[in-house]
DNA sequence: ATTTATATACCTACCGGTAAGTACACCTAT
DNA sequence: ATAGGTGTACTTACCGGTAGGTATATAAAT
């Protein structure tokens, strides 16, 4: 493969990536129906048939963005699961890891949330619950192990799981919905500690 | 006023209410940009200029729906605030009351959430944070009084508030996003109790 | 020469909005 | 009692603009 071939392949990818980046930005800020193909291609600096060349349709680029978003979060979840240590430590690593991933890929996250809560608006169907369910399963696993090991109190693992998820969820949502979020990572850590203090065994303060 | 006049006034309201009801349904399920004036009026059984007659524009009906939604929740919040009893009892009444209001007006709630998380999509600007902020202030007030009275532990009232809000929030969101919510009112009550057990003074179990 | 990537020009269908008209109720003047 | 005027509620037909998508030509890469 010559250097020319590499440059050509890279030019391909550059156009494609530009379209995806602009598509992500615009779908996120305007929604599926509110975003036109014209504005995506104009932002990417190409003409309209180029989008159809690479993605076949408006739906095509949208679905590719969705698949990419879920892939990113799935990989990050896998990295965060399977750590070792006390249940409390692992919970902290897991939740703050999720929070950090959220911030790192906040545009992607915003798109996922927008789809999850937002109206369908003619967008093609996609399995929407996956990212949330991954999170739920991971937290539930750590809770169950904490109860089994005696580190957390006996109780309903589902309740504990949902309280933790609720806390993490509201912290993440705050990052999405405000230019000046009222909750940061340290707040999240403290709030998590408050919950874990409450469900830990040997809590006699 | 004759009976004919009453019937005429009622016919007015019937058309107007039909447009609002169909508008709510469609904006909620399809979003602002994804909903056309044509489908609203068709669903309401009138012609397009009728919508412009009553609401001046597509924006007009949307804004009227949004104002109505916030009015409903604001009134319900006022009813729930100002109850008396222990901080714990009041917190339970407040949170479960919010949850109940949410279920009662779930279409309205769905629209508010869709707007809050969903993309702007060309919809007219509206102050979106109000319902959430009402909730936050109400919970914060009860938390602060619980700490002051010694019922809750000394601690950061903001942390406690947000943990409670996060829990309530995720329970409500679950009602929105699934045909078969995994959390019901009793679950919500139990989870709230788990948190309140954890932050209560005298918790030595 | 062939394949791939891109541009120009165009298509049909649909968008929000509006002008003009109609039906009806009510009021006032004759 | 009747005619004319006014206002409200609604319809039909239409407007200019734009949506997603495509045929064809051209440029670039191999």
């Amino acid at each position: 493969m010559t250097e020319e071939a590499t440059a050509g392949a890279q030019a391909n990818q550059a156009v494609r990536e530009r379209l995806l980046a602009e598509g992500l930005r615009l779908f996120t800020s305007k929604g599926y129906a509110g975003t036109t193909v014209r504005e995506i291609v104009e932002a990417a600096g190409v003409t309209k048939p180029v989008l159809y060349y690479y993605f076949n349709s408006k739906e095509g680029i949208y679905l590719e963005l969705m698949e990419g978003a879920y892939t990113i979060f799935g990989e990050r979840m896998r990295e965060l699961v399977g750590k070792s240590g006390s249940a409390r430590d692992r919970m902290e690593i897991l939740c703050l890891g999720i929070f950090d991933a959220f911030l790192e890929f906040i545009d992607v996250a915003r798109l996922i949330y927008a789809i999850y809560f937002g109206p369908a608006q003619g967008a093609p169907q996609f399995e929407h619950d996956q990212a949330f369910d991954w999170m739920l399963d991971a937290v539930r696993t750590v809770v169950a192990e904490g109860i089994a090991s005696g580190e957390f109190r006996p109780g309903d693992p589902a309740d504990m799981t949902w309280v933790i998820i609720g806390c993490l969820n509201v912290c993440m949502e705050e990052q999405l919905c405000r230019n000046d979020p009222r909750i940061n990572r340290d707040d999240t850590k403290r709030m998590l500690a408050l919950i874990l203090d409450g469900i830990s065994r040997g809590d006699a303060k």
Side-chain angles (χ1 to χ4, degrees), chain A:
Chain A
M1 185 178 292
T2 67
E3 198 165 316
E4 285 86 355
T6 305
Q10 285 174 350
N12 279 359
Q13 288 302 46
V15 169
R16 210 169 178 287
E17 293 304 327
R18 273 206 319 276
L19 282 167
L20 286 170
E22 294 300 335
L24 176 61
R25 181 176 66 83
L26 289 163
F27 282 134
T28 296
S29 65
K30 297 191 170 189
Y32 183 78
T35 300
T36 66
V37 173
R38 281 172 174 85
E39 59 189 332
I40 296 175
V41 296
E42 184 180 343
V46 295
T47 59
K48 197 149 50 101
V50 175
L51 185 141
Y52 292 90
Y53 177 79
Y54 284 105
F55 302 107
N56 287 312
S57 63
K58 182 181 181 182
E59 285 199 3
I61 185 173
Y62 174 82
L63 285 176
E64 184 134 353
L65 283 166
M66 291 304 308
E67 283 161 11
Y70 279 93
T71 299
I72 286 174
F73 277 107
E75 287 170 356
R76 194 43 80 86
M77 287 301 303
R78 278 188 286 276
E79 292 169 19
L80 290 170
V81 177
K83 304 279 185 179
S84 55
S86 69
R88 183 173 181 132
D89 287 347
R90 287 165 59 203
M91 187 65 81
E92 186 168 302
I93 288 166
L94 175 61
C95 291
L96 293 178
I98 292 169
F99 187 83
D100 291 339
F102 195 87
L103 287 189
E104 189 177 346
F105 302 110
I106 196 158
D107 284 346
V108 178
R110 187 170 277 121
L111 183 62
I112 293 180
Y113 265 76
I115 304 311
Y116 198 58
F117 289 112
Q121 57 177 327
Q125 291 301 305
F126 198 85
E127 182 56 59
H128 293 135
D129 294 350
Q130 209 169 13
F132 192 85
D133 288 349
W134 283 335
M135 212 168 53
L136 194 59
D137 287 344
V139 170
R140 183 188 283 126
T141 298
V142 178
V143 165
E145 289 171 7
I147 292 174
S149 72
E151 195 174 335
F152 296 154
R153 293 193 188 138
D156 188 340
D159 286 352
M160 296 179 193
T161 299
W162 279 101
V163 165
I164 291 166
I165 289 286
C167 173
L168 181 57
N169 189 49
V170 81
C171 295
M172 293 192 295
E173 288 178 1
E174 188 70 8
Q175 314 311 308
L176 287 182
C177 299
R178 297 183 65 99
N179 291 329
D180 55 336
R182 294 166 289 193
I183 304 181
N184 62 28
R185 190 179 192 274
D186 287 342
D187 298 325
T188 305
K189 188 172 180 181
R190 255 194 350 266
M191 286 157 60
L192 184 62
L194 179 66
I195 295 169
L196 295 177
D197 287 345
I199 66 173
S200 288
R201 213 149 193 186
D203 180 80
K205 294 179 210 170

